[in-house]
Amino acid sequence: MNIPANYKYTKSHEWVEFLEDGSARVGLSDYAQQELGDLVFVNLPQEGDPVTAGEALGDVESVKAVSDVYSPVTGTVAEVNEALMDSPESINGDPNGSWFVRVEGITGQSELMDAAAYEEYLKTIEE
């Protein structure tokens, strides 16, 4: 399982990458995409939409189920990864490179774990 050290993680299996300009990209962890299976549809917010830490910002549909994607940060959607709309399966192929949204104006965040803590957390739920 690929858990990049420079990302932070949520207990609901989203990752967040804080960028130098103060914004952050959000995506689904490798663990999440494996658990969901083949993704066939992505529903994302629009640029300019507000997002709140711990609340759904969109959802993904797999052959198994529809699952919410929760925002790890509070702010405004500055950019949406439109490529995911046409190829949601790219999340399965490269979950750490397939960001959903870039959020700016960050004013709050969920409880986030570093890579080591997330790896330990995964061990507790896989037992």
Side-chain angles (χ1 to χ4, degrees):
M1 190 163 324
N2 188 357
I3 304 174
N6 60 321
Y7 289 3
K8 300 290 185 192
Y9 300 87
T10 66
K11 287 187 175 183
S12 55
H13 308 291
E14 290 82 17
W15 58 257
V16 59
E17 175 187 24
F18 291 99
L19 305 173
E20 288 182 17
D21 67 1
S23 67
R25 285 193 188 123
V26 176
L28 273 184
S29 73
D30 194 11
Y31 175 84
Q33 70 81 21
Q34 286 179 19
E35 289 296 303
L36 290 168
D38 293 335
L39 296 173
V40 296
F41 183 76
V42 178
N43 182 29
L44 298 174
Q46 301 292 313
E47 286 182 20
D49 284 354
V51 292
T52 303
E55 292 185 11
L57 65 79
D59 55 61
V60 291
E61 184 177 340
S62 70
V63 293
K64 294 180 183 179
V66 175
S67 300
D68 285 335
V69 176
Y70 296 95
S71 183
V73 294
T74 297
T76 303
V77 175
E79 189 177 359
V80 175
N81 188 350
E82 299 284 345
L84 295 183
M85 307 297 264
D86 294 328
S87 2
E89 68 279 358
S90 63
I91 300 164
N92 294 113
D94 183 16
N96 298 312
S98 298
W99 55 277
F100 286 52
V101 295
R102 184 173 62 81
V103 179
E104 63 185 8
I106 296 170
T107 60
Q109 61 188 41
S110 299
E111 283 187 39
L112 301 175
M113 297 173 272
D114 63 18
Y118 184 62
E119 200 164 353
E120 286 303 310
Y121 174 67
L122 291 178
K123 289 177 185 173
T124 67
I125 59 176
E126 290 174 345
E127 292 174 349

